[in-house]
Amino acid sequence: MDPGGYGKGPLHGEKLDATTPVATNTRHTGPSTARTRTGASPSAVPGNQLPSYTSTMNIQFLLLLPLLGLNLAVPIERGTPNKEEPVKQEEPADTGLYYERYLREVIDVLETDGHFREKLQAADAEDIKSGKLSKELDFVSHHVRTKLDELKRQEVSRLRMLIKAKLDATMEEYGQVDHAALLKQFEHLDPQNQHTFEARDLELLIQTATKDLENYDATRHEEFKRYEMMKEHERREYLKSLDEDKRKMEEAHYEELKKKHKEHPKVNVPGSKDQLKEVWEETDGLDPNDFNAKTFFNLHDTNGDGILDEQELEALFTKELEKVYDPKNEEDDMVEMEEERLRMREHVMKNVDTNHDRLVTLEEFLKSTERKEYNEAGGWETVDEAQIYTEEELRRFEQELTAQEVALNQRAEALRKEHEDLQQRQIELDAQKKEYQQAVIQMEQKKSQQAGVPPAGPNGELKFQAEVPQVNSEKAKPEEPHPGSEVHPGPPAAAQETIQDHEPLQEQHVQEPHQ
């Protein structure tokens, strides 16, 4: 099972579609029920038009696009568009949220409802973040609510599998698992209601995603710090394993790479006039003397929505990053390049995005050109020039690694002993099994002898024993007739017994006269 994956279906196995009634959830649909809205069909949109990009922009940008720093921004190519080729839609960036797929699917379903889309167009960032927009869920079509119910059941099923996988991975002994209690640790849905998607679910989903995305940049910086400390820790441990001569050679090579990495053209401050004019000239192919901020904004507003999102901003930093980082060079670390890109975006957003909605409007962009910092000709301090961690932080990090190594060794030793105990137990069980088998064979032999049946072997085959003939006395043996004598048949057996019984009496009568 993939822990990041989704469950195969609803919790109770029911399959919902557009025609499935929901008898257990009676919702107030309000005045909008007087209008027939399919929600999923493009024909339901006024003017028979597909939803505009602006109508879907608010939630997508406010909740998803802040994490586009994960993607590599590419230079903007100004070639002649081929009208015959369909426009390729950009794949959404990975937000790093464990409920990212659920979030995207909920947004996609909500955008198919005409009423909700109209309210979304009129809502501002504060209405969305505060959860005010979630109250409009009561007025969407039944078909949309049914789809949302199914999505929530699938998400609950997925979370249950994640809980079980976690318990199995930690080898905890558990009997009856209280899923309702464990689901409370997930904040992006209402654990009290596991079957239907309500306004509370949408409110929790928006609030949780907003909070997690706001903390995401800080998390990425912390991960990068740990990456740099691990790299330095491994370098120092490697040096300890070398002799004096090799250690000196390795340290000299390391210093040479650092020096070579710093040999690059001047890096302009992101968002400064020098940086924008360089993009204007080298990327857009225009005369730097004709630079115009408004024209520049429209050129790089690639989707024409009147807003520069974070992905469009990061595309402006490509030329600056290429001055410092080259994947072909040994001295250049591409992980550091992505950290550099994130730092550049944060710098621009801090100085340009005045309302902190993680989007740059034309008005905000033009106002930033009036700032004093816009005309500063100073250079940008790259990651290798900044202090990412202190020696004290590195020392604590190495202590954590040592503690983790000790714990892993203890666990490995415990598993080794457990394995030996299991092997010894298996040997004892095999010996007991043989004893039981022999005892069963002996019991079967005794039973067969008592019943007059030949004993059976270990595989069930019959064992036959040769019969020993009985030896009679000499008197019991009949005398063999001499050659030439006549053989007369004797009397019957009963007659012989009668004769033998009377023979002694006749002898007594014969002997009495001689006395």
Side-chain angles (χ1 to χ4, degrees):
M1 181 193 76
D2 183 4
Y6 266 72
K8 296 298 182 182
L11 292 179
H12 301 288
E14 62 266 38
K15 183 66 176 178
L16 301 178
D17 53 28
T19 60
T20 305
V22 183
T24 60
N25 182 25
T26 304
R27 301 184 178 93
H28 172 65
T29 56
S32 63
T33 54
R35 296 173 293 173
T36 302
R37 293 183 282 107
T38 60
S41 174
S43 61
V45 182
N48 195 23
Q49 297 293 326
L50 289 173
S52 64
Y53 187 85
T54 304
S55 67
T56 62
M57 175 271 298
N58 290 341
I59 291 183
Q60 294 283 0
F61 280 173
L62 289 173
L63 300 184
L64 303 179
L65 291 183
L67 277 305
L68 289 172
L70 290 171
N71 289 352
L72 296 180
V74 296
I76 301 175
E77 299 180 359
R78 299 296 179 184
T80 303
N82 189 352
K83 296 182 179 180
E84 296 180 358
E85 295 182 359
V87 179
K88 294 182 179 180
Q89 295 183 352
E90 297 177 353
E91 294 184 0
D94 181 12
T95 63
L97 302 176
Y98 66 91
Y99 52 90
E100 176 188 355
R101 181 177 173 182
Y102 174 63
L103 173 62
R104 293 186 186 279
E105 289 180 344
V106 168
I107 293 174
D108 291 341
V109 171
L110 286 173
E111 287 173 350
T112 63
D113 185 83
H115 173 78
F116 192 86
R117 187 169 52 252
E118 292 174 2
K119 294 296 181 180
L120 180 60
Q121 290 177 348
D124 56 18
E126 190 59 32
D127 291 338
I128 296 176
K129 291 182 179 181
S130 64
K132 181 179 179 181
L133 188 65
S134 62
K135 297 179 181 179
E136 301 297 329
L137 190 67
D138 291 333
F139 300 95
V140 301
S141 65
H142 173 75
H143 168 66
V144 171
R145 293 299 294 269
T146 303
K147 293 292 292 183
L148 292 174
D149 291 345
E150 183 177 357
L151 288 177
K152 182 175 180 180
R153 283 191 286 266
Q154 290 176 350
E155 177 69 359
V156 171
S157 178
R158 184 182 72 91
L159 295 178
R160 285 181 170 179
M161 288 191 292
L162 287 176
I163 292 172
K164 184 179 184 302
K166 183 178 180 180
L167 294 176
D168 292 340
T170 55
M171 302 180 67
E172 295 181 3
E173 295 183 0
Y174 56 92
Q176 189 72 20
V177 179
D178 188 358
H179 285 96
L182 293 174
L183 283 173
K184 292 181 180 179
Q185 62 185 302
F186 303 106
E187 300 177 349
H188 64 287
L189 50 73
D190 182 10
Q192 303 299 329
N193 176 18
Q194 302 179 17
H195 305 287
T196 58
F197 190 96
E198 304 295 339
R200 177 61 177 166
D201 291 291
L202 182 58
E203 180 181 356
L204 290 174
L205 181 60
I206 294 175
Q207 291 177 353
T208 305
T210 301
K211 180 185 67 176
D212 292 344
L213 294 179
E214 288 175 350
N215 297 331
Y216 186 75
D217 287 348
T219 303
R220 284 191 62 190
H221 287 311
E222 183 62 28
E223 290 177 354
F224 176 74
K225 179 191 289 188
R226 295 181 68 85
Y227 167 79
E228 288 290 301
M229 289 191 293
M230 176 61 77
K231 192 167 62 171
E232 178 63 17
H233 168 73
E234 291 177 347
R235 188 186 73 84
R236 294 182 181 184
E237 291 298 314
Y238 175 68
L239 291 176
K240 292 178 182 179
S241 66
L242 302 177
D243 56 37
E244 187 66 22
D245 294 335
K246 291 184 178 180
R247 186 182 303 113
K248 290 181 179 180
M249 292 177 58
E250 188 65 28
E251 288 178 343
H253 179 64
Y254 174 72
E255 293 298 328
E256 181 183 356
L257 291 179
K258 287 177 62 177
K259 182 179 179 181
K260 187 177 180 181
H261 176 70
K262 293 180 179 180
E263 295 175 353
H264 55 73
K266 172 190 172 183
V267 180
N268 296 311
V269 177
S272 65
K273 185 176 182 179
D274 290 343
Q275 189 259 323
L276 298 181
K277 287 183 69 174
E278 189 172 292
V279 175
W280 174 278
E281 179 180 4
E282 298 186 13
T283 303
D284 302 334
L286 301 175
D287 189 346
N289 297 323
D290 298 332
F291 177 79
N292 180 273
K294 183 175 181 180
T295 304
F296 181 91
F297 181 93
N298 293 329
L299 280 174
H300 294 274
D301 178 17
T302 55
N303 53 25
D305 63 350
I307 291 174
L308 292 182
D309 58 57
E310 294 183 347
Q311 188 178 31
E312 292 169 332
L313 282 175
E314 290 185 358
L316 303 178
F317 311 144
T318 302
K319 296 299 296 184
E320 303 301 324
L321 294 171
E322 288 176 348
K323 295 177 182 179
V324 186
Y325 301 96
D326 187 346
K328 298 179 182 179
N329 295 338
E330 179 185 1
E331 67 273 12
D332 298 337
D333 189 339
M334 294 300 104
V335 176
E336 292 182 357
M337 185 187 73
E338 290 310 307
E339 175 68 12
E340 198 80 71
R341 190 193 306 275
L342 175 59
R343 292 172 69 241
M344 288 181 172
R345 172 170 59 80
E346 288 179 332
H347 175 80
V348 172
M349 283 295 183
K350 180 180 179 181
N351 294 314
V352 181
D353 180 23
T354 56
N355 63 355
H356 306 293
D357 63 351
R358 305 176 77 95
L359 302 170
V360 176
T361 63
L362 176 59
E363 181 182 0
E364 290 174 329
F365 183 78
L366 294 178
K367 283 185 178 181
S368 69
T369 61
E370 301 173 0
R371 295 167 57 93
K372 179 182 178 181
E373 296 83 356
Y374 175 74
N375 295 308
E376 288 182 355
W380 173 257
E381 184 185 51
T382 56
V383 169
D384 58 289
E385 297 172 337
Q387 185 180 15
I388 306 301
Y389 56 86
T390 63
E391 282 296 322
E392 178 62 23
E393 289 175 326
L394 179 59
R395 187 185 63 82
R396 290 198 300 267
F397 177 75
E398 290 178 333
Q399 289 177 348
E400 291 178 10
L401 292 179
T402 302
Q404 291 175 2
E405 184 177 0
V406 171
L408 288 174
N409 291 335
Q410 292 176 349
R411 180 60 178 164
E413 180 64 19
L415 291 174
R416 186 187 64 79
K417 291 182 179 180
E418 184 179 349
H419 179 67
E420 292 178 354
D421 293 342
L422 290 174
Q423 285 183 327
Q424 182 63 30
R425 179 60 178 164
Q426 184 64 41
I427 294 174
E428 295 175 358
L429 291 174
D430 291 341
Q432 291 180 1
K433 181 179 179 181
K434 290 181 180 179
E435 293 178 1
Y436 293 153
Q437 288 177 345
Q438 293 177 357
V440 170
I441 292 173
Q442 293 176 359
M443 292 176 62
E444 290 180 350
Q445 289 177 350
K446 290 181 180 180
K447 290 181 180 180
S448 61
Q449 290 176 358
Q450 293 175 359
V453 179
N459 297 324
E461 67 275 10
L462 296 178
K463 289 186 177 181
F464 295 92
Q465 298 178 354
E467 294 183 359
V468 180
Q470 297 180 356
V471 180
N472 297 329
S473 60
E474 292 295 332
K475 293 182 179 181
K477 292 182 179 180
E479 294 182 359
E480 295 182 358
H482 295 284
S485 61
E486 294 182 357
V487 178
H488 300 282
Q496 288 182 0
E497 293 177 358
T498 305
I499 293 173
Q500 291 175 359
D501 294 337
H502 291 284
E503 281 182 354
L505 296 176
Q506 292 176 359
E507 291 177 358
Q508 292 177 1
H509 290 300
V510 172
Q511 292 177 359
E512 286 179 358
H514 294 284
Q515 293 179 356

